[in-house]
Amino acid sequence: MNRAMWALTTDFWRSRLLPLTVVSLSMTLLPTVVYGPLYGFGTSGWQETASDANATLHVAFTWCMGVCFVGYPLIWLSTVRREYTLPVSTWELVAARSLNGALATAAGYASVCLVMNAVFQARWPFWGPVLFLVTVYLVAQAITWLTLQAPTIGL
């Protein structure tokens, strides 16, 4: 990794680590509050009493995580015009934001998924939602770049 990529990477994580941590903790707390009462129903445990609720809540929380992870800390905070004045090439700027944002999105979902699977044995899948959320991030980042200079549809 050259110095420009290292500088962009450290700047990315320094400016977004606290918001990502807050969003990750809140997105871990929200399913925990909802799953807590559901986990206690019945005598046979989670698997037989609430498997349909598990699938429905997983889809709902995945969408919610997509909005929270991608929307606020990664896209909204990434419109720093100062980065465009740095002496780096376009591919380095795009690669640094894309790779670090994809890693942050995957790490955010992984933290929620690991807690839910460890505490509630919810059996949430990992790779499918991670690929979905990373794709949503990359598409949202591309849309942000396209509309950044547009006078009528700027975000």
Side-chain angles (χ1 to χ4, degrees), residues 12 16 19-20 66-81 83-84 97-98 100-102 104-105 133-148 155:
F12 179 92
R16 292 165 185 88
L20 282 170
V67 169
C68 290
F69 284 125
V70 172
Y72 173 68
L74 298 177
I75 297 296
W76 186 71
L77 289 178
S78 70
T79 56
V80 180
R81 296 184 189 273
E83 291 178 355
Y84 297 117
R97 276 208 201 156
S98 298
N100 288 314
T105 304
L133 291 172
V134 167
T135 303
V136 167
Y137 166 75
L138 293 173
V139 169
Q141 187 68 58
I143 291 170
T144 303
W145 284 325
L146 287 174
T147 61
L148 194 61
L155 298 176

Side-chain angles (χ1 to χ4, degrees), residues 84-141:
Y84 297 117
T85 63
L86 297 174
V88 296
S89 64
T90 303
W91 79 266
E92 289 173 327
L93 185 62
V94 170
R97 276 208 201 156
S98 298
L99 292 175
N100 288 314
L103 286 173
T105 304
Y109 177 77
S111 67
V112 175
C113 182
L114 289 174
V115 167
M116 296 307 296
N117 287 343
V119 174
F120 297 109
Q121 292 86 29
R123 294 185 294 182
W124 279 14
F126 180 74
W127 289 111
V130 163
L131 291 175
F132 171 73
L133 291 172
V134 167
T135 303
V136 167
Y137 166 75
L138 293 173
V139 169
Q141 187 68 58

